[in-house]
Structures are given as structure tokens and as C-alpha cells.
């Protein structure tokens, strides 16, 4: 979908001159080149007796109005949702159309009284960098549904709102990096190709070369000739590899692509997305939640005070993707969400407390759950939204201590003194962070750092041969009793050789961006969305 933005009356107070790069000199004697549209709109206003500035700008034509005496071009370059107006003589506009890439040089002048914009560019020279057929150009000056724009992801990047989302992503990556650096975390680059499924759910993409199903003579090899000797996968999480680093560096983090082979056709799921993950030496689940809370609050505060945040507020309305009906003011959604993230304390409740709350709500005839809440099952989206609304009252909510049976093998028991293996009511020291109006966006836990309990947990999840778990002090199992080596042997080694208590979390970066921007469908947040049945380019 395209959100239309009213042309701003630039009196230069909305776009501070501080945005100008240091190399800019505002002398009118020579052209000011290499400036973005945002930079130009932020130039100090000209007085009535001041000589017009010489300007050179490059961008794509958003719209063009050709009239008898003049042609008016609205030029954009992705640096701002607002456009720069250029005044052309009719001969200069003959070959121009929506989508044409041009460089325009001319004089930056005060607009006549009564115009919406305070300044405009009077073109002296127009150079076409890339011609476009205006009739077939897929992005016209009209409403386009989000579903339609997803079919042309390579071109929707040029729309003002998607350009704004790209700048939001860039800013948030910077803010996150600055936060971790200030807290003495080491940024790392974990591998994308892995030998294991971190979550143990089996929802992985198997990696093979293009001709991997043929032998050297061109015949079928029945999948026995693996490029890496045995099957490898695209990573579902960098957690296990970050755990290897945390034994040396103590505080580590990564922001990297993640892949899930879930056949989920929902607005919340992608097959490829970015995950922000961190691991730290700690024995406190509360310290992990404090870290998550401080991180997200820091990002929200910085986004709200940034130029990108102001432009998000300037996007007047959200339109429903299928019907085009107005839902609510974008500014109201942004202010409400950012306000909730900025609250000083976020509520924390246990899973058991959440289930009791849901069971009580289920008895209310005015509240309808499609999935009956019960202890021992995962929370559904409708449950998460209810908890966030009821407990959070506008702020995020941490839900802690889920049943061991619904969580991965690597989590530390909530009470390490009990025999969690034999206790069906055992819980693990973990948390999910629920955002109001959205869903779970962060999951974290303390990691099982003890060798014997880890081996037992791996055996329960069918991740380790029986012989290996029966002899946890042995580095390798006997071939006679354990013919297949585990692809997690290296992970077990981390516990065998000088393990330390630690924990970490994973944050769905695309989900967080969508929440900050008020975009409910994650497919409209990812620049190149890949999801079940869709990977066009």
C-alpha cells in the first residue's frame, strides 16, 4: 500500500539545519551538489533580497503535472517522505514521467506567496539518468494495496513509506549497536550454515548444492554424497554458537538472518527474518529481563526523538490492506505504543499466574477464546493479546517460568534443586515478552550449564544417543553402542570443559520494527519478504 503524505509547508523549522552534512557551504556563487532532498529542504530560508542558491539534486519523479506554461515535478530520493518541487519549462519535461530517474540543477528560490511550499527549484538543466514508460510503470499515483506491492518488492522500495521503513531499520540497528557497545558487549558474526536445529522442532531448511542429487557421472546418488559429508541446515538461531563465545567474552550479541521452514501463512511469520540475540554470564533471569527492557526502551526513546520518528508521526493514516478503509490515526498508534515502551517498569507474571487469569476470563461469557487455556500447553496469540491488555495496560508484559515440556532442551530448570526430569509440573527459568496489540517478540532463558542435566534433557528430546547420556564423562561414545555421532557434540563440549552459568535471549527484529512503525503485517516490514509459497526475487 502507498500512504499519501500531504506536501509540507517548509518553513525550515520542521527540518533543522543540523541535518546538513559538514561539507555543505551555503554560498550562492557555486552550486550546492551531492545533497539529498532532505538536506535541501533543511537549508536555511532565503530572505527576499537574497540571491537564489544553485542546487543540484538527483532522484526519482514521484509525480509530474504538465501545463501549458510550466511543468511541476515532485522529486523524491528516499531521504525523506516529503518531496522537493521543481519548476520546469515544458520542453524540459517532454520525456519525463512518473518513475523517471533524473538529475536537476537550477536555482533554489522562494516560492510566490500563497504556495504550499516555501521554496522551489527552478530548473536550468534536466538530465535523464533512467527513462521510464509512465504507462506501464507499476507504481502510479493512486492507492495500491499492500498485497499488490508485495508482488513487486524490488519496486515498492521506491515508495515513500517503504523508504521510511528502510531508514527506520538502519537507525534501529545503529541504536542497538550503540546500546550494546555502551554496555561492553562484543558483536559477533555467527555462521548461517549449521549442523543442528537449535530449537529441536525440525523446522529447518536443508542445504545442498544445486547438483547435489547427482554423482560425478550424472546419475542419482540417492542423497548419499553430501557436500559437507552429512546434512547441514540454514540456521534457525545463533544462540548455540553465541554460547560458545560467551565462555570467553562474557557479553556477546549478534544481529543476523534466521530461517524457519514453517508453513505458516500469517501476518506474523516469515521464512527468513533477522534475529537479535545476546548471551551474557548471569545466574539471574531478572537481570536478563532488565537487559531486554532497557534495550527496547532505549531504542523507543531514540526513535521517538529522531527525524525518522517525526516522519512516522507525519504519516497521517493507516489504511487497511484489503479494503482501503481508514482504521485509525497513525500518530495515535505511535504515541500510544512508544509511551508504553517508555514506561519505567514492565509487569512480570509467571506462566502459572497467566493460565489462572486466562481460565478465569474463559468463564466470562463476554470473552471468547478459540483455544481453551490449560496448564501445560503453549499460549496462543489470543491468549498473549489478552494478557498484554489485561496486565500490561499499554506496556509490555513478561511471562516467566513456562512448563519444561513446551520449551527447548537447553533451558535451566526454575528450581535447580528439584529433579525436574521426574516432575511433570516442572518449569524452566525462561521468559517471553508480549507487546500490546501484537504478540511475543522476545524469548529468553537461563541456559542449562551443567553437563549431566543437559545430557538428560537432550536424550528426552531425542537429540543424543542413549549411550552418550549414560556416560556423560566420556568424550566419545563406543561405536558399538552409539553408531551415529551427535551433531551437538561440540555443544556438549562447552559443558564438559569449564562451563559457566549464563543466559540469553532472541528478539525478532522485524517484529519490533513493525511494532514501532505501526505496521501489523511483517511482510510489509521486511524489504524482501520470504514466506511459505513466496520468494519471487
Amino acid at each position: 500500500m502507498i500512504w499519501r503524505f500531504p506536501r509540507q509547508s517548509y518553513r525550515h523549522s520542521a527540518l533543522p539545519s543540523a541535518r546538513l552534512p559538514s561539507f555543505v557551504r551555503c554560498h550562492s556563487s557555486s552550486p550546492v551538489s551531492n545533497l539529498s532532498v532532505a538536506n535541501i529542504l533543511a537549508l536555511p530560508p532565503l530572505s527576499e533580497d537574497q540571491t537564489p542558491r544553485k542546487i543540484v539534486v538527483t532522484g526519482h519523479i514521484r509525480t509530474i503535472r504538465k501545463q501549458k506554461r510550466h511543468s511541476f515535478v515532485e522529486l523524491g530520493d528516499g531521504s525523506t517522505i516529503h518531496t522537493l518541487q521543481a519548476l520546469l519549462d515544458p520542453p524540459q519535461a517532454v520525456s519525463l514521467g512518473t518513475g523517471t530517474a533524473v538529475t536537476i540543477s537550477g536555482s533554489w528560490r522562494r516560492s510566490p506567496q500563497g504556495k504550499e511550499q516555501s521554496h522551489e527549484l527552478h530548473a536550468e538543466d534536466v538530465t535523464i539518468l533512467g527513462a521510464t514508460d509512465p504507462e506501464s510503470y507499476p507504481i502510479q499515483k493512486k492507492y495500491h494495496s499492500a498485497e499488490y506491492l508485495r508482488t513487486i518488492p524490488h519496486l515498492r522500495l521506491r515508495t515513500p513509506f517503504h523508504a521510511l521503513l528502510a531508514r527506520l531499520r538502519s537507525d534501529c540497528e545503529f541504536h542497538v549497536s550503540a546500546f550494546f557497545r555502551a554496555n561492553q558487549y562484543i558483536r559477533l558474526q555467527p555462521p548461517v550454515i549449521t549442523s543442528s536445529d537449535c530449537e529441536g522442532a525440525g523446522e529447518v531448511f536443508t542445504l545442498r548444492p544445486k547438483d547435489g542429487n547427482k554423482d560425478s557421472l550424472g546419475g542419482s546418488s540417492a542423497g548419499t554424497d553430501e557436500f559437507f559429508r552429512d546434512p547441514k541446515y540454514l540456521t534457525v538461531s545463533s544462540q548455540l554458537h553465541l554460547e560458545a563465545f560467551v565462555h570467553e567474552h562474557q557479553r556477546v550479541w549478534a544481529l543476523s538472518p534466521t530461517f524457519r521452514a514453517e508453513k505458516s501463512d500469517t501476518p506474523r511469520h516469515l521464512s527468513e527474518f533477522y534475529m537479535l540475540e545476546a548471551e551474557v554470564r548471569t545466574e539471574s533471569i531478572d537481570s536478563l529481563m532488565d537487559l531486554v527492557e532497557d534495550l527496547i526502551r532505549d531504542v523507543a526513546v531514540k526513535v521517538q526523538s529522531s527525524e525518522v520518528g517525526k516522519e512516522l508521526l507525519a504519516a497521517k493514516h493507516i489504511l487497511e490492506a484489503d479494503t482501503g478503509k481508514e482504521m485509525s490515526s497513525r500518530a495515535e498508534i505511535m504515541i500510544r505504543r512508544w509511551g508504553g515502551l517508555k514506561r519505567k517498569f514492565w509487569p512480570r507474571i509467571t506462566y502459572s499466574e497467566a493460565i489462572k487469569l486466562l481460565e478465569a476470563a474463559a468463564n466470562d461469557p463476554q470473552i471468547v477464546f478459540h483455544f481453551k487455556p490449560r496448564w501445560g500447553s503453549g499460549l496462543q496469540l489470543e491468549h498473549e493479546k489478552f494478557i498484554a491488555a489485561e496486565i500490561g495496560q499499554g506496556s509490555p508484559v513478561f511471562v516467566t517460568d513456562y512448563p519444561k515440556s513446551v520449551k527447548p532442551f537447553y533451558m535451566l530448570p526454575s528450581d535447580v534443586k528439584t529433579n525436574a526430569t521426574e516432575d511433570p509440573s516442572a518449569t524452566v527459568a525462561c521468559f517471553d515478552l508480549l507487546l500490546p496489540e501484537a504478540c511475543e517478540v522476545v524469548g529468553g532463558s537461563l541456559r542449562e550449564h551443567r553437563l549431566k542435566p543437559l545430557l538428560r534433557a537432550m536424550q528426552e528430546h531425542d537429540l543424543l544417543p542413549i549411550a552418550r547420556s549414560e556416560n556423560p564423562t566420556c568424550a566419545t561414545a563406543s561405536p558399538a553402542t552409539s553408531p551415529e555421532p551427535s551433531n551437538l557434540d561440540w555443544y556438549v563440549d562447552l559443558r564438559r570443559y569449564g562451563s559457566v552459568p549464563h543466559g540469553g535471549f532472541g528478539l525478532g527484529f522485524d517484529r519490533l520494527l513493525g511494532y514501532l512503525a505501526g505496521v501489523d503485517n511483517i511482510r510489509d516490514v521486511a524489504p524482501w519478504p520470504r514466506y511459505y509459497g513466496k520468494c519471487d526475487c
Side-chain angles (χ1 to χ4, degrees):
M1 135 194 349
I2 295 180
W3 286 277
R4 295 297 175 193
F5 306 106
R7 186 183 302 154
Q8 180 167 327
S9 178
Y10 296 108
R11 300 303 170 187
H12 302 284
S13 58
L15 296 170
S17 58
R19 291 189 58 185
L20 294 174
S22 58
F23 61 79
V24 175
R25 297 293 183 268
C26 297
H27 299 297
S28 59
S29 57
S30 59
V32 179
S33 58
N34 299 320
L35 289 185
S36 66
V37 169
N39 292 148
I40 294 172
L41 295 177
L43 287 170
L46 295 167
S47 61
E48 293 184 3
D49 57 350
Q50 191 173 357
T51 304
R53 298 189 181 97
K54 296 297 184 180
I55 295 292
V56 179
V57 62
T58 297
H60 282 89
I61 295 176
R62 303 283 194 215
T63 63
I64 182 170
R65 292 180 290 119
K66 297 180 180 180
Q67 299 179 356
K68 186 175 182 179
R69 297 180 58 187
H70 298 288
S71 292
F72 298 89
V73 166
E74 299 292 333
L75 197 68
D77 66 353
S79 63
T80 173
I81 59 173
H82 306 295
T83 56
L84 179 151
Q85 178 166 289
L87 185 65
L88 281 63
D89 293 329
Q92 294 175 315
V94 170
S95 301
L96 303 183
T98 300
T100 304
V102 296
T103 293
I104 302 177
S105 59
S107 56
W108 187 241
R109 300 172 178 268
R110 289 174 57 90
S111 299
Q113 292 291 332
K115 296 290 185 179
E116 291 184 15
Q117 68 287 342
S118 63
H119 292 68
E120 60 190 8
L121 177 60
H122 288 235
E124 297 171 2
D125 182 73
V126 179
T127 302
I128 296 179
L129 302 178
T132 300
D133 178 8
E135 298 299 324
S136 62
Y137 185 57
I139 302 176
Q140 297 291 328
K141 187 182 179 180
K142 63 177 183 179
Y143 169 78
H144 293 295
S145 70
E147 189 66 36
Y148 168 72
L149 290 177
R150 288 181 210 130
T151 66
I152 49 171
H154 56 298
L155 294 177
R156 75 171 182 174
L157 301 175
R158 302 183 189 181
T159 62
F161 191 74
H162 283 278
L164 176 58
L165 289 179
R167 286 184 284 119
L168 172 65
R169 180 181 293 269
S170 178
D171 281 9
C172 287
E173 286 190 23
F174 175 80
H175 298 324
V176 165
S177 182
F179 173 88
F180 279 119
R181 185 171 182 83
N183 287 277
Q184 299 182 325
Y185 279 71
I186 304 295
R187 184 172 186 177
L188 301 166
Q189 288 74 42
V192 171
I193 301 175
T194 69
S195 59
S196 62
D197 171 11
C198 173
E199 300 292 335
E203 297 166 338
V204 295
F205 289 101
T206 303
L207 187 69
R208 288 191 179 92
K210 186 176 181 180
D211 58 350
N213 61 338
K214 295 182 180 180
D215 59 25
S216 58
L217 299 178
S220 173
S221 62
T224 59
D225 187 18
E226 295 286 349
F227 185 88
F228 293 106
R229 294 184 299 178
D230 49 36
K232 303 302 175 186
Y233 316 99
L234 294 180
T235 182
V236 299
S237 171
S238 298
Q239 175 202 318
L240 304 189
H241 293 90
L242 289 181
E243 286 191 59
F245 280 112
V246 81
H247 284 79
E248 177 66 20
H249 296 291
Q250 302 190 37
R251 298 180 177 187
V252 298
W253 76 284
L255 179 60
S256 52
T258 303
F259 307 86
R260 302 285 173 92
E262 296 180 75
K263 295 182 179 181
S264 299
D265 188 17
T266 76
R268 300 178 293 113
H269 291 89
L270 291 173
S271 298
E272 177 187 0
F273 55 94
Y274 270 76
M275 183 79 78
L276 189 159
E277 297 178 87
E279 291 289 324
V280 59
R281 292 191 188 183
T282 182
E283 297 184 62
S284 167
I285 193 69
D286 286 316
S287 68
L288 282 179
M289 290 188 284
D290 290 343
L291 174 62
V292 171
E293 190 172 330
D294 291 343
L295 169 64
I296 296 179
R297 183 185 297 112
D298 183 75
V299 171
V301 169
K302 290 177 178 176
V303 166
Q304 185 173 17
S305 62
S306 69
E307 290 300 319
V308 166
K310 294 173 184 177
E311 290 193 7
L312 284 169
L313 293 177
K316 296 300 183 181
H317 300 286
I318 294 178
L319 300 179
E320 202 280 325
D322 296 324
T323 65
K325 294 180 180 178
E326 179 183 323
M327 290 178 62
S328 60
S329 166
R330 173 174 296 275
E332 292 176 0
I333 292 176
M334 297 299 94
I335 292 172
R336 181 173 66 250
R337 290 185 174 182
W338 295 347
L341 295 178
K342 289 167 58 179
R343 290 185 185 177
K344 193 169 184 180
F345 300 105
W346 298 354
R348 301 175 183 184
I349 64 170
T350 66
Y351 168 89
S352 297
E353 292 169 339
I355 290 296
K356 291 180 181 178
L357 175 68
L358 291 169
E359 289 176 339
N363 294 326
D364 187 337
Q366 295 183 341
I367 299 176
V368 178
F369 291 134
H370 294 91
F371 297 91
K372 183 179 180 180
R374 63 180 180 84
W375 203 98
S377 62
L379 297 179
Q380 300 295 324
L381 177 61
E382 60 183 353
H383 302 152
E384 294 177 345
K385 288 187 174 182
F386 180 84
I387 293 169
E390 189 73 14
I391 301 298
Q393 297 294 316
S395 76
V397 177
F398 287 101
V399 180
T400 68
D401 300 285
Y402 281 73
K404 177 177 178 286
S405 59
V406 300
K407 288 298 182 179
F409 72 95
Y410 49 73
M411 294 186 177
L412 187 72
S414 300
D415 184 357
V416 295
K417 296 180 181 179
T418 61
N419 188 351
T421 303
E422 304 298 332
D423 185 1
S425 64
T427 61
V428 285
C430 67
F431 66 86
D432 284 349
L433 179 65
L434 312 181
L435 296 182
E437 308 169 5
C439 60
E440 177 257 334
V441 73
V442 185
S445 74
L446 295 180
R447 315 310 190 192
E448 178 57 84
H449 60 280
R450 303 164 300 168
L451 179 59
K452 291 183 179 180
L454 176 67
L455 291 173
R456 283 197 297 268
M458 294 174 68
Q459 180 61 43
E460 292 171 4
H461 286 78
D462 297 324
L463 296 174
L464 197 67
I466 296 177
R468 192 73 52 82
S469 62
E470 292 174 347
N471 189 10
T473 60
C474 182
T476 59
S478 167
T481 57
S482 180
E484 295 185 6
S486 169
N487 56 14
L488 287 172
D489 280 349
W490 66 273
Y491 185 71
V492 174
D493 278 349
L494 300 179
R495 273 62 176 174
R496 182 174 288 115
Y497 305 117
S499 180
V500 297
H502 60 283
F505 66 87
L507 182 155
F509 197 62
D510 299 276
R511 285 185 178 180
L512 178 61
L513 295 179
Y515 188 76
L516 291 171
V519 179
D520 294 329
N521 196 320
I522 198 172
R523 299 171 184 177
D524 300 322
V525 178
W528 306 93
R530 279 84 167 89
Y531 48 96
Y532 181 57
K534 204 71 172 179
C535 182
D536 291 337
C537 55

